[in-house]
Amino acid sequence: MAQDLTAVLALADGTLFWGRGVGATGRAVGEVCFNTAQTGYQEIMTDPSYAGQIIGFTFPHIGNVGANPEDIETMTPAARGCVISADITEPSNWRTAQPFDAWLKSHNLVGLCGVDTRRLTPPAGSPAASATAAPPAA
């Protein structure tokens, strides 16, 4: 299992959440917040109210609708990255233009999966929410 850990979310208080990188390879710095919606992950990532934030999705099935050009709030994503509990779900919707992982990559957005987002949610409103998400050095 340890070899599967390819990315980390590091909170300002030193708490580390290890998981697997999804989306683009890189680093994102932003305030960690959470979202409990069951649908609309693409809209959430492009919603200007999430500008500069790393979204922790508490719903486990992120990606099941895929991504498409109709489900955006702005042309340029506002969020800086995302944290999800399970691997990105394969899309199974007739409106899918591309998988969510490919959409993240196309917008240079980093993500982290395999994190118990229930553990991440309580500190999200605290000063520790300022965080950096980055894969470890190779």
Side-chain angles (χ1 to χ4, degrees), residues 1-134:
M1 170 101 178
Q3 67 274 15
D4 293 338
L5 303 178
T6 61
V8 64
L9 174 71
L11 299 182
D13 70 356
T15 303
L16 301 178
F17 293 91
W18 287 92
R20 294 175 302 284
V22 296
T25 300
R27 179 181 304 212
V29 177
E31 176 186 20
V32 176
C33 68
F34 66 93
N35 187 289
T36 61
Q38 294 183 17
T39 61
Y41 50 85
Q42 188 180 354
E43 292 93 330
I44 292 162
M45 295 296 293
T46 58
D47 185 332
S49 70
Y50 288 105
Q53 295 180 323
I54 298 169
I55 314 300
F57 289 102
T58 60
F59 187 69
H61 304 293
I62 300 299
N64 56 339
V65 178
N68 64 69
E70 293 82 29
D71 289 345
I72 59 172
E73 299 296 316
T74 59
M75 294 302 291
T76 303
R80 297 211 174 132
C82 64
V83 181
I84 57 178
S85 60
D87 290 335
I88 292 177
T89 307
E90 283 297 314
S92 61
N93 185 286
W94 64 272
R95 298 176 63 230
T96 299
Q98 66 184 137
F100 186 54
D101 185 54
W103 183 86
L104 289 170
K105 286 177 186 170
S106 72
H107 291 285
N108 202 33
L109 293 170
V110 298
L112 178 64
C113 73
V115 171
D116 183 353
T117 55
R118 297 170 300 179
R119 285 191 52 231
L120 176 62
T121 301
S126 72
S130 178
T132 302

